[in-house]
């Protein structure tokens, strides 16, 4: 891992970095200021005291540090610990601070060699045990994301990010995956990811109603621009979302059609991402 910086900057507020277990930790007394508390040190003490049972040894520790009053015991928080504090904070700046912590954490993870990252973050746990624990955490977050209607790829990305914060293990990086790879490979190339379909459909549909989007051939090709139109059609048809005038399903669902019309049902758009999860 690269040499740790002496300090981190959040919106002009300097946070001194404490090198603990070869990772950056922040003094508790300094975290209250970026969270927007008028009495930073007292506020952080109260936050921690109210939720101390939710902090692990990888989130907070008490170490000997030099202070204005001499060398004393000081409570410090890892970046994951800082994120946890910000989750409990009810200030206007807490949201921005949480996002900043995640950005810093991900930046540091990218600098950590994959073969040693799990051990470096969780020194008391074997690498295999750390991955197993992260897998359970990821599964729980993924279920919650899907329950809230997130498409499969989006749910996977968010679950991985939340797992990274909680456990320090980046499962996608260990599998050598990135966001660009969260799409389906089909005949003739990549099928358009669910997010692309949902983002483009309203603007590109030839017409639409409460139940479906209707695309002429030209509009359909525009929807699939950058991806394989045939692979996208096959993916959606396999999932039961795409019908056309040539499909018998059209008559059963009552969708009007005409030659060359593609009809994408809206009824189950949240399950577009099922294919991503099953890939």
């Amino acid at each position: 891992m690269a040499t740790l910086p002496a300090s981190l900057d959040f919106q002009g507020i300097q946070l001194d970095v404490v090198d603990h277990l070869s990772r950056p930790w922040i003094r508790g007394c300094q975290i209250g200021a970026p969270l927007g508390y008028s009495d930073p040190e007292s506020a952080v003490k109260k936050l921690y005291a109210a939720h101390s049972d939710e902090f692990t040894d990888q989130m907070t520790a008490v170490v000997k540090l030099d202070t204005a009053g001499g060398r004393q015991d000081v409570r410090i928080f890892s970046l994951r610990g800082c994120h946890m504090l910000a989750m409990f904070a009810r200030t206007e700046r807490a949201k921005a601070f949480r996002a900043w912590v995640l950005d810093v954490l991900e930046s540091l993870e990218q600098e950590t060699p994959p073969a040693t990252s799990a051990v470096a973050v969780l020194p008391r746990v074997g690498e295999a045990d750390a991955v197993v624990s992260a897998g359970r955490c990821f599964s729980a977050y993924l279920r919650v994301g899907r329950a809230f209607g997130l498409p499969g790829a989006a749910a996977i990305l968010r679950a991985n990010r939340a797992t990274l914060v909680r456990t320090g293990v980046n499962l996608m990086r260990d599998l050598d995956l990135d966001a660009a790879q969260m799409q389906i490979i089909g005949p003739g190339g990549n099928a358009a990811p669910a997010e692309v379909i949902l983002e483009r459909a309203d603007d590109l549909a030839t017409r639409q109603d409460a139940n479906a989007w209707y695309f002429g051939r030209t509009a359909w090709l525009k929807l699939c621009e950058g991806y394989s139109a045939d692979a996208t059609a096959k993916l959606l048809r396999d999932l039961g979302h795409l019908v056309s005038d040539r499909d018998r399903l059209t008559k059963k669902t009552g969708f009007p059609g005409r030659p060359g019309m593609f009809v994408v049902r809206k009824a189950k758009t949240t399950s577009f991402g099922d294919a991503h999860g099953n890939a």
Side-chain angles (χ1 to χ4, degrees), residues 45-207:
K45 286 182 178 179
K46 290 179 180 178
L47 275 180
Y48 174 70
H51 305 282
S52 59
D53 59 321
E54 299 193 45
F55 287 80
T56 67
D57 291 342
Q58 285 74 47
M59 294 180 180
T60 187
V62 175
V63 298
K64 292 283 188 181
L65 293 176
D66 292 328
T67 71
R71 195 163 183 79
Q72 301 179 25
D73 287 335
V74 177
R75 180 166 294 282
I76 58 176
F77 293 86
S78 67
L79 291 176
R80 288 187 290 129
C82 291
H83 186 272
M84 180 71 83
L85 285 173
M87 291 292 290
F88 296 129
R90 292 295 180 266
T91 62
E92 293 183 359
R93 300 179 70 176
K95 181 177 181 180
F97 184 73
R98 289 196 300 268
W100 173 81
V101 169
L102 289 179
D103 289 341
V104 174
L105 184 59
E106 289 185 349
S107 174
L108 292 171
E109 281 297 317
Q110 292 173 2
E111 298 174 5
T112 304
T116 61
S117 60
V119 176
V121 175
L122 300 173
R124 299 184 182 181
V125 183
E127 183 175 357
D129 290 340
V131 173
V132 170
S133 178
R136 291 172 180 167
C137 186
F138 174 85
S139 296
Y141 280 123
L142 183 61
R143 286 195 299 271
V144 172
R146 297 309 301 277
F148 277 95
L150 287 175
I156 289 171
L157 293 173
R158 293 196 183 189
N160 186 73
R161 190 171 189 178
T163 299
L164 172 61
V165 172
R166 281 287 184 176
T167 69
V169 178
N170 188 332
L171 294 172
M172 285 183 60
R173 185 204 59 203
D174 289 349
L175 292 172
D176 196 26
L177 295 173
D178 57 37
Q181 293 171 295
M182 300 303 296
Q183 53 191 7
I184 302 301
I185 305 298
N190 296 330
E195 293 87 340
V196 171
I197 297 169
L198 296 176
E199 287 175 3
R200 296 177 178 178
D202 284 339
D203 293 333
L204 297 177
T206 304
R207 61 188 179 88

Side-chain angles (χ1 to χ4, degrees), residues 184-192 220 224 227-238:
I184 302 301
I185 305 298
N190 296 330
W220 175 256
C224 301
Y227 303 90
S228 166
D230 290 339
T232 301
K234 183 180 185 304
L235 171 62
L236 292 182
R237 185 173 284 109
D238 289 346

